[in-house]
Amino acid sequence: MTQNLKKSIEVLIFAAEKPISAEQIAHHLELDNVAEIEKLIEKLNIEYNEQGHTFCIRKVAGGFKFATDKQYYHLIEKLYEEKKDISLTSSALEVLAIIAYHQPITRPKIDAIRGVSSQYHVHNLLEVKLIKIAGRMKTFGRPLLYTTSDKFLQFFGLNNIEDLPNLHQIRELMQTDVAEPQKMKEEDQLELLTEASDE
């Protein structure tokens, strides 16, 4: 029974177009015990590791998805670059970093932090759905408030916004990069994102 459940979980995660939550998996399998789903996913990952598989199930944006083991990132870098549909300039990453670390935030506040207008980059980030409008500030003029989106979490492989590295972790990452300059594009963008926030 347990083995069949694990196979069913694998199928649902594999077939889902975006990260699928434990609650959604339980619903599709007509189960009430969500905790059991998460335990089985943990067991699957242990089995993948013991069997030497090159993939695992990772929690991203509140859901689960299959992901390649980090040690094999260099093998899929070219393929990843060819399929990427979002290209961010350093200025756009700077704006994205400010929003990520200061959300919810208004565009005037972003402009004040950067010292230049961010209207163009905010518009583009909305277009690619890495940020979203979260409401209006209850002050004069009622400026729009911006936050990151679920697509942002998926794009950078994060489960929630609390997974963003803090300043201490950022410094450690920057020191590690001196010894390991070769990175996946996805990691490069996270690195630029955090560097922009540090500045």
Coordinates of all heavy atoms in Angstrom, one line a residue, residues 89-173:
T89 N 18.4 42.3 -16.4 CA 19.6 43.1 -16.4 C 20.0 43.3 -14.9 O 19.3 43.0 -14.0 CB 19.4 44.4 -17.0 OG1 18.4 45.2 -16.2 CG2 18.9 44.3 -18.5
S90 N 21.2 43.8 -14.7 CA 21.7 44.0 -13.3 C 20.8 45.1 -12.6 O 20.6 45.0 -11.4 CB 23.2 44.5 -13.3 OG 23.3 45.6 -14.1
S91 N 20.4 46.1 -13.4 CA 19.5 47.1 -12.8 C 18.1 46.5 -12.4 O 17.6 46.8 -11.3 CB 19.3 48.2 -13.8 OG 20.5 48.9 -14.1
A92 N 17.6 45.6 -13.2 CA 16.3 45.0 -12.9 C 16.5 44.1 -11.7 O 15.6 44.0 -10.8 CB 15.8 44.1 -14.1
L93 N 17.6 43.4 -11.6 CA 17.9 42.6 -10.4 C 18.0 43.4 -9.1 O 17.6 43.0 -8.1 CB 19.2 41.8 -10.6 CG 19.0 40.5 -11.5 CD1 20.4 40.0 -11.9 CD2 18.2 39.4 -10.8
E94 N 18.6 44.6 -9.3 CA 18.8 45.5 -8.2 C 17.4 45.9 -7.7 O 17.1 45.9 -6.4 CB 19.5 46.8 -8.6 CG 19.7 47.8 -7.5 CD 20.5 49.0 -7.9 OE1 20.3 49.4 -9.1 OE2 21.2 49.6 -7.1
V95 N 16.5 46.3 -8.6 CA 15.1 46.6 -8.2 C 14.4 45.4 -7.6 O 13.7 45.6 -6.5 CB 14.3 47.1 -9.4 CG1 12.8 47.3 -9.1 CG2 14.9 48.4 -10.0
L96 N 14.6 44.3 -8.1 CA 14.0 43.0 -7.6 C 14.5 42.7 -6.2 O 13.7 42.3 -5.3 CB 14.2 41.9 -8.5 CG 13.5 40.5 -8.2 CD1 12.0 40.7 -8.2 CD2 13.9 39.5 -9.3
A97 N 15.8 43.0 -6.0 CA 16.3 42.7 -4.7 C 15.8 43.7 -3.6 O 15.4 43.3 -2.5 CB 17.9 42.9 -4.7
I98 N 15.6 44.9 -4.0 CA 15.1 45.9 -3.1 C 13.6 45.5 -2.7 O 13.2 45.6 -1.5 CB 15.1 47.3 -3.7 CG1 16.5 47.8 -3.9 CG2 14.3 48.3 -2.9 CD1 16.7 49.1 -4.7
I99 N 12.9 45.1 -3.7 CA 11.5 44.7 -3.4 C 11.4 43.5 -2.5 O 10.7 43.4 -1.6 CB 10.7 44.4 -4.7 CG1 10.6 45.7 -5.5 CG2 9.3 43.8 -4.5 CD1 10.0 45.6 -6.9
A100 N 12.3 42.5 -2.8 CA 12.3 41.2 -2.1 C 12.7 41.5 -0.6 O 12.1 40.8 0.3 CB 13.4 40.3 -2.7
Y101 N 13.6 42.4 -0.3 CA 14.1 42.5 1.0 C 13.3 43.6 1.8 O 13.5 43.8 3.0 CB 15.6 42.8 1.1 CG 16.4 41.6 0.9 CD1 16.9 41.2 -0.4 CD2 16.8 40.8 2.0 CE1 17.6 40.0 -0.6 CE2 17.6 39.7 1.8 CZ 18.0 39.3 0.5 OH 18.7 38.1 0.4
H102 N 12.5 44.4 1.1 CA 11.8 45.5 1.8 C 10.3 45.5 1.6 O 9.6 46.4 1.9 CB 12.3 46.9 1.2 CG 13.8 47.2 1.5 ND1 14.2 47.7 2.7 CD2 14.9 46.9 0.8 CE1 15.5 47.8 2.7 NE2 16.0 47.4 1.5
Q103 N 9.8 44.4 1.0 CA 8.4 44.3 0.7 C 7.5 44.3 2.0 O 8.0 43.8 3.0 CB 8.1 43.1 -0.2 CG 8.5 41.7 0.5 CD 8.3 40.6 -0.5 OE1 7.2 40.4 -1.1 NE2 9.3 39.8 -0.6
P104 N 6.3 44.8 1.8 CA 5.8 45.6 0.7 C 6.4 47.0 0.6 O 6.6 47.6 1.7 CB 4.3 45.6 1.0 CG 4.2 45.6 2.5 CD 5.3 44.7 2.9
I105 N 6.6 47.4 -0.6 CA 7.3 48.7 -0.8 C 6.7 49.5 -2.0 O 6.2 48.9 -2.9 CB 8.8 48.4 -1.0 CG1 9.6 49.7 -1.1 CG2 9.0 47.6 -2.3 CD1 11.1 49.5 -1.1
T106 N 6.7 50.8 -1.9 CA 6.2 51.6 -2.9 C 7.3 52.0 -3.9 O 8.5 51.9 -3.6 CB 5.6 52.9 -2.4 OG1 6.7 53.7 -1.8 CG2 4.6 52.7 -1.3
R107 N 6.9 52.4 -5.2 CA 8.0 52.8 -6.1 C 8.8 54.0 -5.7 O 10.0 54.0 -5.9 CB 7.3 53.0 -7.5 CG 8.4 53.1 -8.6 CD 7.8 53.0 -10.0 NE 6.9 54.1 -10.3 CZ 7.3 55.3 -10.6 NH1 8.6 55.6 -10.7 NH2 6.4 56.3 -10.9
P108 N 8.1 55.0 -5.1 CA 8.9 56.2 -4.6 C 10.0 55.7 -3.6 O 11.1 56.3 -3.6 CB 7.9 57.1 -4.0 CG 6.7 56.8 -4.7 CD 6.7 55.3 -5.0
K109 N 9.7 54.7 -2.8 CA 10.7 54.2 -1.8 C 11.8 53.5 -2.6 O 13.0 53.7 -2.2 CB 10.0 53.3 -0.8 CG 11.0 52.7 0.2 CD 11.6 53.8 1.1 CE 12.4 53.1 2.2 NZ 13.1 54.1 3.1
I110 N 11.5 52.7 -3.6 CA 12.5 52.1 -4.4 C 13.4 53.1 -5.1 O 14.6 52.9 -5.0 CB 11.8 51.2 -5.5 CG1 11.0 50.1 -4.8 CG2 12.9 50.5 -6.4 CD1 10.1 49.3 -5.8
D111 N 12.8 54.1 -5.6 CA 13.5 55.2 -6.3 C 14.5 55.9 -5.3 O 15.6 56.2 -5.6 CB 12.6 56.2 -6.9 CG 11.8 55.7 -8.0 OD1 12.1 54.6 -8.5 OD2 10.8 56.3 -8.4
A112 N 14.0 56.1 -4.1 CA 14.8 56.8 -3.1 C 16.0 55.9 -2.7 O 17.1 56.4 -2.5 CB 14.0 57.0 -1.8
I113 N 15.8 54.6 -2.6 CA 17.0 53.7 -2.3 C 18.0 53.7 -3.4 O 19.2 53.7 -3.1 CB 16.4 52.3 -2.0 CG1 15.6 52.3 -0.7 CG2 17.6 51.3 -1.8 CD1 14.9 50.9 -0.4
R114 N 17.5 53.6 -4.6 CA 18.4 53.5 -5.8 C 19.0 54.9 -6.2 O 20.1 54.9 -6.8 CB 17.7 52.9 -7.0 CG 17.2 51.5 -6.8 CD 16.6 51.0 -8.1 NE 17.6 50.8 -9.1 CZ 17.5 51.2 -10.3 NH1 16.4 51.8 -10.7 NH2 18.5 51.0 -11.2
G115 N 18.2 56.0 -6.0 CA 18.7 57.3 -6.4 C 18.3 57.6 -7.8 O 18.7 58.7 -8.3
V116 N 17.6 56.7 -8.5 CA 17.2 56.9 -9.9 C 15.8 56.3 -10.0 O 15.3 55.5 -9.2 CB 18.1 56.3 -10.9 CG1 19.4 57.0 -10.9 CG2 18.2 54.8 -10.7
S117 N 15.1 56.7 -11.1 CA 13.7 56.2 -11.4 C 13.8 54.7 -11.6 O 14.6 54.2 -12.4 CB 13.1 56.9 -12.5 OG 11.9 56.3 -12.9
S118 N 12.8 54.0 -11.1 CA 12.7 52.5 -11.3 C 11.4 52.1 -12.0 O 11.1 51.0 -12.1 CB 12.7 51.8 -9.9 OG 13.9 52.2 -9.2
Q119 N 10.8 53.1 -12.6 CA 9.5 52.9 -13.2 C 9.6 51.8 -14.3 O 8.8 50.9 -14.4 CB 8.9 54.2 -13.8 CG 7.5 54.0 -14.5 CD 7.0 55.3 -15.0 OE1 7.5 56.4 -14.8 NE2 5.8 55.2 -15.6
Y120 N 10.6 51.9 -15.2 CA 10.8 51.0 -16.3 C 11.0 49.5 -15.8 O 10.3 48.6 -16.3 CB 12.0 51.4 -17.2 CG 12.3 50.4 -18.2 CD1 11.6 50.4 -19.4 CD2 13.4 49.6 -18.1 CE1 12.0 49.5 -20.4 CE2 13.8 48.7 -19.1 CZ 13.0 48.6 -20.3 OH 13.4 47.7 -21.2
H121 N 11.8 49.4 -14.8 CA 12.1 48.0 -14.3 C 10.9 47.5 -13.5 O 10.7 46.3 -13.6 CB 13.4 48.1 -13.4 CG 14.6 48.5 -14.1 ND1 15.1 47.8 -15.2 CD2 15.4 49.5 -14.0 CE1 16.2 48.4 -15.7 NE2 16.4 49.4 -14.9
V122 N 10.2 48.3 -12.8 CA 9.0 47.8 -12.1 C 8.0 47.3 -13.1 O 7.4 46.2 -12.9 CB 8.5 48.9 -11.2 CG1 7.1 48.5 -10.6 CG2 9.4 49.2 -10.0
H123 N 7.8 48.1 -14.1 CA 6.9 47.7 -15.2 C 7.3 46.3 -15.8 O 6.4 45.4 -16.0 CB 6.8 48.7 -16.3 CG 6.0 48.3 -17.4 ND1 4.6 48.4 -17.4 CD2 6.3 47.9 -18.7 CE1 4.1 48.0 -18.6 NE2 5.1 47.7 -19.4
N124 N 8.5 46.2 -16.1 CA 9.0 44.9 -16.7 C 8.9 43.7 -15.7 O 8.5 42.6 -16.2 CB 10.5 45.1 -17.2 CG 10.6 45.8 -18.5 OD1 9.6 46.1 -19.1 ND2 11.8 46.2 -18.8
L125 N 9.2 44.0 -14.5 CA 9.1 42.9 -13.5 C 7.6 42.5 -13.3 O 7.3 41.3 -13.1 CB 9.7 43.3 -12.1 CG 11.2 43.5 -12.1 CD1 11.7 44.2 -10.8 CD2 11.9 42.1 -12.3
L126 N 6.7 43.4 -13.4 CA 5.3 43.1 -13.4 C 4.9 42.3 -14.6 O 4.1 41.3 -14.6 CB 4.4 44.4 -13.3 CG 4.4 45.1 -12.0 CD1 3.7 46.4 -12.2 CD2 3.6 44.2 -11.0
E127 N 5.5 42.6 -15.8 CA 5.2 42.0 -17.0 C 5.6 40.5 -17.0 O 4.8 39.6 -17.5 CB 5.9 42.6 -18.2 CG 5.3 44.0 -18.7 CD 4.0 43.7 -19.4 OE1 4.0 42.9 -20.3 OE2 3.0 44.4 -19.1
V128 N 6.7 40.2 -16.4 CA 7.2 38.8 -16.3 C 6.7 38.1 -15.1 O 7.1 37.0 -14.8 CB 8.7 38.7 -16.4 CG1 9.2 39.2 -17.8 CG2 9.4 39.5 -15.3
K129 N 5.9 38.8 -14.3 CA 5.2 38.3 -13.1 C 6.1 37.8 -12.0 O 5.8 36.9 -11.2 CB 4.3 37.2 -13.5 CG 3.2 37.6 -14.5 CD 2.3 36.5 -14.9 CE 1.2 36.9 -15.8 NZ 0.3 35.9 -16.3
L130 N 7.3 38.5 -11.9 CA 8.2 38.2 -10.7 C 7.8 39.0 -9.5 O 8.2 38.7 -8.4 CB 9.7 38.5 -11.1 CG 10.3 37.5 -12.1 CD1 11.7 37.9 -12.4 CD2 10.3 36.1 -11.5
I131 N 7.0 40.1 -9.7 CA 6.5 40.9 -8.6 C 5.0 41.1 -8.9 O 4.5 40.8 -10.0 CB 7.2 42.3 -8.5 CG1 7.0 43.1 -9.7 CG2 8.7 42.1 -8.2 CD1 7.4 44.6 -9.6
K132 N 4.3 41.5 -7.9 CA 2.9 41.8 -8.0 C 2.5 43.0 -7.2 O 3.2 43.4 -6.3 CB 2.1 40.6 -7.6 CG 2.2 40.2 -6.1 CD 1.5 39.0 -5.7 CE 1.7 38.6 -4.2 NZ 1.0 37.4 -3.8
I133 N 1.3 43.6 -7.5 CA 0.7 44.7 -6.8 C 0.0 44.1 -5.6 O -0.9 43.3 -5.8 CB -0.2 45.5 -7.6 CG1 0.6 46.2 -8.8 CG2 -0.9 46.6 -6.8 CD1 -0.2 46.9 -9.8
A134 N 0.4 44.5 -4.4 CA -0.2 43.9 -3.2 C -1.3 44.8 -2.5 O -1.9 44.4 -1.5 CB 0.9 43.6 -2.1
G135 N -1.5 46.0 -3.1 CA -2.5 46.9 -2.6 C -2.0 48.3 -2.6 O -1.1 48.6 -3.4
R136 N -2.5 49.2 -1.8 CA -2.1 50.6 -1.8 C -1.8 51.0 -0.4 O -2.4 50.5 0.6 CB -3.2 51.5 -2.3 CG -3.5 51.4 -3.8 CD -4.5 52.4 -4.3 NE -4.7 52.3 -5.7 CZ -4.0 53.0 -6.6 NH1 -3.0 53.8 -6.2 NH2 -4.2 52.9 -7.9
M137 N -0.8 51.9 -0.3 CA -0.4 52.4 1.1 C -1.4 53.4 1.5 O -1.9 54.2 0.7 CB 1.0 53.1 1.0 CG 1.7 53.2 2.3 SD 3.4 53.7 2.0 CE 4.0 53.6 3.7
K138 N -1.8 53.4 2.8 CA -2.8 54.3 3.3 C -2.2 55.6 3.7 O -2.2 56.0 4.9 CB -3.5 53.6 4.5 CG -4.3 52.4 4.2 CD -5.0 51.8 5.4 CE -5.7 50.5 5.0 NZ -6.4 49.9 6.1
T139 N -1.6 56.3 2.7 CA -1.1 57.6 2.9 C -1.5 58.5 1.8 O -2.2 58.0 0.9 CB 0.5 57.6 3.0 OG1 0.9 57.0 1.7 CG2 1.0 56.8 4.1
F140 N -1.1 59.8 1.8 CA -1.5 60.7 0.7 C -1.1 60.2 -0.6 O 0.0 59.7 -0.8 CB -0.9 62.1 1.0 CG -1.2 63.1 -0.1 CD1 -2.4 63.7 -0.2 CD2 -0.2 63.4 -1.1 CE1 -2.7 64.6 -1.2 CE2 -0.5 64.3 -2.1 CZ -1.7 64.9 -2.1
G141 N -2.1 60.2 -1.6 CA -1.8 59.7 -2.9 C -2.0 58.2 -3.1 O -2.0 57.7 -4.2
R142 N -2.1 57.5 -1.9 CA -2.3 56.0 -1.9 C -1.4 55.3 -3.0 O -1.9 54.7 -3.9 CB -3.8 55.7 -2.2 CG -4.6 56.2 -1.0 CD -6.1 55.9 -1.3 NE -6.4 54.5 -1.6 CZ -6.5 53.5 -0.7 NH1 -6.3 53.8 0.6 NH2 -6.8 52.3 -1.0
P143 N -0.1 55.4 -2.8 CA 0.8 54.7 -3.8 C 0.7 53.2 -3.8 O 0.4 52.6 -2.7 CB 2.2 55.2 -3.4 CG 2.1 55.5 -1.9 CD 0.7 56.1 -1.8
L144 N 0.9 52.6 -4.9 CA 0.9 51.1 -5.0 C 2.0 50.5 -4.2 O 3.1 51.0 -4.1 CB 1.0 50.7 -6.4 CG -0.2 51.1 -7.4 CD1 0.2 50.7 -8.8 CD2 -1.5 50.3 -7.0
L145 N 1.7 49.3 -3.6 CA 2.6 48.5 -2.8 C 3.0 47.3 -3.7 O 2.1 46.6 -4.2 CB 2.1 48.1 -1.5 CG 1.9 49.2 -0.4 CD1 1.0 48.7 0.7 CD2 3.3 49.6 0.1
Y146 N 4.3 47.0 -3.7 CA 4.8 45.9 -4.5 C 5.4 44.8 -3.6 O 6.1 45.1 -2.7 CB 5.8 46.3 -5.6 CG 5.3 47.3 -6.6 CD1 5.5 48.7 -6.4 CD2 4.5 46.9 -7.7 CE1 4.9 49.6 -7.3 CE2 4.0 47.8 -8.6 CZ 4.2 49.2 -8.4 OH 3.7 50.1 -9.3
T147 N 5.2 43.6 -4.0 CA 5.8 42.4 -3.3 C 6.2 41.4 -4.4 O 5.8 41.5 -5.5 CB 4.8 41.7 -2.4 OG1 3.7 41.1 -3.1 CG2 4.2 42.7 -1.3
T148 N 7.0 40.4 -4.0 CA 7.4 39.4 -4.9 C 6.2 38.4 -5.0 O 5.3 38.4 -4.2 CB 8.6 38.6 -4.4 OG1 8.4 38.2 -3.0 CG2 9.9 39.5 -4.4
S149 N 6.3 37.6 -6.1 CA 5.2 36.7 -6.4 C 5.6 35.2 -6.2 O 6.8 34.9 -5.9 CB 4.8 36.9 -7.9 OG 5.9 36.5 -8.7
D150 N 4.7 34.3 -6.4 CA 5.0 32.9 -6.3 C 6.0 32.5 -7.5 O 6.9 31.6 -7.3 CB 3.8 32.0 -6.4 CG 3.0 32.0 -5.2 OD1 3.5 32.4 -4.1 OD2 1.8 31.6 -5.2
K151 N 5.9 33.2 -8.6 CA 6.8 32.9 -9.7 C 8.2 33.3 -9.3 O 9.2 32.7 -9.8 CB 6.3 33.7 -11.0 CG 7.1 33.3 -12.2 CD 6.5 33.9 -13.5 CE 7.3 33.5 -14.7 NZ 6.7 34.1 -15.9
F152 N 8.4 34.3 -8.5 CA 9.7 34.7 -8.0 C 10.3 33.6 -7.2 O 11.5 33.2 -7.4 CB 9.5 36.0 -7.1 CG 10.8 36.3 -6.3 CD1 11.8 37.1 -6.9 CD2 10.9 35.8 -5.0 CE1 12.9 37.4 -6.1 CE2 12.1 36.1 -4.3 CZ 13.1 36.9 -4.8
L153 N 9.5 33.0 -6.3 CA 10.0 31.9 -5.5 C 10.4 30.7 -6.4 O 11.4 30.1 -6.2 CB 8.9 31.4 -4.5 CG 8.4 32.4 -3.5 CD1 7.3 31.9 -2.7 CD2 9.6 32.8 -2.6
Q154 N 9.5 30.4 -7.4 CA 9.8 29.3 -8.3 C 11.1 29.6 -9.1 O 11.9 28.7 -9.3 CB 8.7 29.1 -9.3 CG 7.4 28.6 -8.6 CD 6.2 28.4 -9.5 OE1 6.4 28.1 -10.7 NE2 5.0 28.8 -9.1
F155 N 11.2 30.8 -9.6 CA 12.4 31.2 -10.5 C 13.7 31.1 -9.7 O 14.7 30.6 -10.3 CB 12.2 32.7 -10.9 CG 13.2 33.1 -11.9 CD1 13.1 32.7 -13.2 CD2 14.2 34.0 -11.6 CE1 14.0 33.1 -14.2 CE2 15.1 34.4 -12.5 CZ 15.0 34.0 -13.8
F156 N 13.7 31.4 -8.4 CA 14.9 31.3 -7.7 C 15.0 30.0 -6.8 O 15.9 29.9 -6.0 CB 15.1 32.6 -6.8 CG 15.4 33.8 -7.6 CD1 14.4 34.7 -7.8 CD2 16.7 34.0 -8.2 CE1 14.7 35.9 -8.6 CE2 16.9 35.1 -8.9 CZ 16.0 36.0 -9.2
G157 N 14.0 29.1 -6.9 CA 14.1 27.9 -6.2 C 13.9 28.0 -4.7 O 14.5 27.3 -3.9
L158 N 13.0 28.9 -4.3 CA 12.8 29.2 -2.9 C 11.4 28.6 -2.4 O 10.5 28.6 -3.2 CB 12.8 30.7 -2.5 CG 14.1 31.4 -2.9 CD1 13.9 32.9 -2.8 CD2 15.3 30.9 -2.1
N159 N 11.3 28.2 -1.2 CA 10.0 27.7 -0.7 C 9.2 28.9 -0.2 O 8.0 28.9 -0.5 CB 10.2 26.7 0.4 CG 8.9 26.2 0.9 OD1 8.0 25.9 0.2 ND2 8.7 26.1 2.3
N160 N 9.8 29.8 0.5 CA 9.1 31.0 0.9 C 10.1 32.2 1.0 O 11.3 31.9 0.9 CB 8.4 30.8 2.2 CG 9.3 30.3 3.3 OD1 10.3 30.9 3.6 ND2 8.9 29.2 3.9
I161 N 9.6 33.4 1.2 CA 10.5 34.5 1.1 C 11.5 34.5 2.3 O 12.6 35.1 2.2 CB 9.7 35.8 1.2 CG1 10.5 37.0 0.6 CG2 9.2 36.2 2.5 CD1 10.9 36.9 -0.9
E162 N 11.2 33.8 3.4 CA 12.1 33.7 4.5 C 13.4 32.9 4.1 O 14.4 33.0 4.8 CB 11.4 33.0 5.7 CG 10.5 33.9 6.5 CD 9.2 34.2 5.7 OE1 8.8 33.3 4.9 OE2 8.5 35.2 5.9
D163 N 13.3 32.2 3.0 CA 14.5 31.4 2.6 C 15.6 32.3 1.9 O 16.7 31.8 1.6 CB 14.1 30.3 1.6 CG 13.3 29.2 2.3 OD1 13.4 29.1 3.5 OD2 12.6 28.5 1.6
L164 N 15.3 33.6 1.7 CA 16.3 34.4 1.1 C 17.4 34.5 2.1 O 17.2 34.6 3.3 CB 15.7 35.8 0.9 CG 14.9 36.1 -0.4 CD1 14.3 37.5 -0.4 CD2 15.8 35.9 -1.6
P165 N 18.7 34.5 1.7 CA 19.8 34.6 2.6 C 19.9 35.9 3.3 O 19.5 37.0 2.7 CB 21.0 34.4 1.7 CG 20.6 34.8 0.3 CD 19.1 34.4 0.2
N166 N 20.3 35.9 4.6 CA 20.4 37.1 5.3 C 21.8 37.7 5.0 O 22.6 37.1 4.3 CB 20.3 36.9 6.9 CG 21.2 35.8 7.4 OD1 22.4 35.8 7.0 ND2 20.7 35.0 8.3
L167 N 22.1 38.9 5.6 CA 23.4 39.5 5.2 C 24.6 38.7 5.5 O 25.6 38.7 4.8 CB 23.5 40.9 6.0 CG 22.5 41.9 5.6 CD1 22.6 43.2 6.4 CD2 22.6 42.3 4.1
H168 N 24.6 37.9 6.7 CA 25.7 37.1 7.0 C 25.9 36.0 6.0 O 27.0 35.7 5.6 CB 25.5 36.5 8.4 CG 26.5 35.5 8.8 ND1 27.8 35.9 9.1 CD2 26.5 34.1 8.9 CE1 28.5 34.8 9.5 NE2 27.8 33.7 9.3
Q169 N 24.8 35.4 5.6 CA 24.8 34.3 4.5 C 25.3 34.9 3.2 O 26.0 34.2 2.5 CB 23.5 33.7 4.4 CG 23.0 32.9 5.6 CD 21.6 32.4 5.5 OE1 20.7 33.2 5.0 NE2 21.3 31.2 5.9
I170 N 24.9 36.1 2.9 CA 25.3 36.8 1.6 C 26.8 36.9 1.6 O 27.5 36.6 0.6 CB 24.6 38.1 1.5 CG1 23.1 38.0 1.3 CG2 25.2 38.9 0.3 CD1 22.4 39.2 1.3
R171 N 27.4 37.4 2.7 CA 28.9 37.6 2.8 C 29.6 36.2 2.6 O 30.6 36.1 1.9 CB 29.3 38.2 4.1 CG 28.8 39.6 4.2 CD 29.4 40.3 5.5 NE 28.8 41.6 5.6 CZ 27.8 42.0 6.4 NH1 27.2 41.0 7.1 NH2 27.4 43.2 6.5
E172 N 29.0 35.1 3.2 CA 29.6 33.8 3.0 C 29.5 33.3 1.6 O 30.5 32.8 1.1 CB 28.9 32.8 4.0 CG 29.2 33.0 5.4 CD 28.6 31.9 6.3 OE1 27.6 31.2 5.8 OE2 28.9 31.8 7.5
L173 N 28.4 33.6 0.9 CA 28.2 33.2 -0.5 C 29.2 33.9 -1.3 O 29.8 33.4 -2.2 CB 26.8 33.5 -0.9 CG 25.7 32.6 -0.4 CD1 24.3 33.2 -0.8 CD2 25.9 31.2 -1.0

